[in-house]
Amino acid sequence: MGFLVGFMGAGKTTAGREVASRLDCRFIDLDDCIVARARLSVAEIFSKLGEREFRRRESQALLEVLRNAAHDSATLIALGGGAWPQPQNRLRIREFGGRVIFLDAPLPVLRQRCESGGAQRPLFADAASFEELYRARHEQYGTADVRIDTAGKAPGEVAEDIIAALQWDRTATQGEGS
Ligand code: S3P
């Protein structure tokens, strides 16, 4: 089991998909799970139900994913930017086990990727609040097992860094990772 954590714009989903196609392993994007279950976009959940309710659903989705993935250890899970900073989520992941990989980049790079990415991000507002949130979370991201700097790297390069950090046996069939 592996977990990708990091701020908005870190490239967790893009790199995660790339890793999954290279390793032929399962990839789960936690935001996609929340959206599928709610039948609302992330932006709609924030605007209609509020951030608190989004966080509740996020923790619930994580729990379900961990339970379902328990028998498939070659699974990579990308968490939304706010999931790892929540103590109860960190605890659950640590109880479960697996490598936690922090995808990082300098703040201007993250901001630029969010501006050009097209994805709707309710917490991506003005530069000052983006920076404040980044600083507030950075310490928690730093408790991950591995930090990968993604600045200036193509998704394929980031994917190879993740594959090395996962320490899975590349020749192993699905279910034999750790
Ligand atoms: C959030 C990040 C988003 C999404 C939601 C909240 C956050 O995911 O979960 O908009 O709190 O940082 P990405 O990190 O994939 O953008």
Side-chain angles (χ1 to χ4, degrees):
M1 190 76 57
F3 301 89
L4 297 180
V5 305
F7 207 60
M8 292 173 265
K12 303 175 292 281
T13 304
T14 309
R17 287 200 183 117
E18 189 62 36
V19 171
S21 81
R22 288 173 187 228
L23 288 187
D24 195 21
C25 74
R26 196 158 167 239
F27 173 66
I28 297 172
D29 183 280
L30 197 64
D31 277 345
D32 287 350
C33 300
I34 303 165
V35 165
R37 187 168 248 267
R39 295 188 192 165
L40 294 169
S41 69
V42 169
E44 284 169 336
I45 299 173
F46 267 76
S47 66
K48 291 182 182 174
L49 308 174
E51 179 172 354
R52 206 186 154 101
E53 177 59 16
F54 177 81
R55 297 295 167 211
R56 195 190 65 74
R57 288 172 185 236
E58 185 173 56
S59 294
Q60 181 64 31
L62 175 66
L63 206 58
E64 282 168 24
V65 161
L66 292 178
R67 281 192 189 128
N68 293 338
H71 304 294
D72 187 359
S73 55
T75 299
L76 183 62
I77 302 168
L79 308 187
W84 179 251
Q86 302 287 321
Q88 77 277 18
N89 294 340
R90 289 206 297 279
L91 200 69
R92 276 174 191 159
I93 289 171
R94 287 312 191 187
E95 275 170 6
F96 195 85
R99 306 276 286 173
V100 179
I101 299 167
F102 168 32
L103 299 189
D104 199 13
L107 196 54
V109 174
L110 295 169
R111 202 169 49 230
Q112 201 271 326
R113 287 189 194 146
C114 287
E115 275 162 4
S116 62
Q120 277 190 305
R121 291 187 169 96
L123 294 183
F124 177 57
D126 56 287
S129 63
F130 191 75
E131 179 166 353
E132 197 183 322
L133 198 56
Y134 175 83
R135 300 213 180 284
R137 289 175 174 176
H138 207 261
E139 196 180 323
Q140 278 103 45
Y141 294 139
T143 66
D145 301 311
V146 185
R147 175 184 169 276
I148 294 173
D149 189 353
T150 66
K153 287 183 190 159
E157 281 176 83
V158 178
E160 285 303 320
D161 287 350
I162 294 170
I163 288 167
L166 282 170
Q167 299 180 336
W168 289 351
D169 178 357
R170 282 189 89 156
T171 59
T173 53
Q174 213 168 334
E176 289 178 2
S178 60

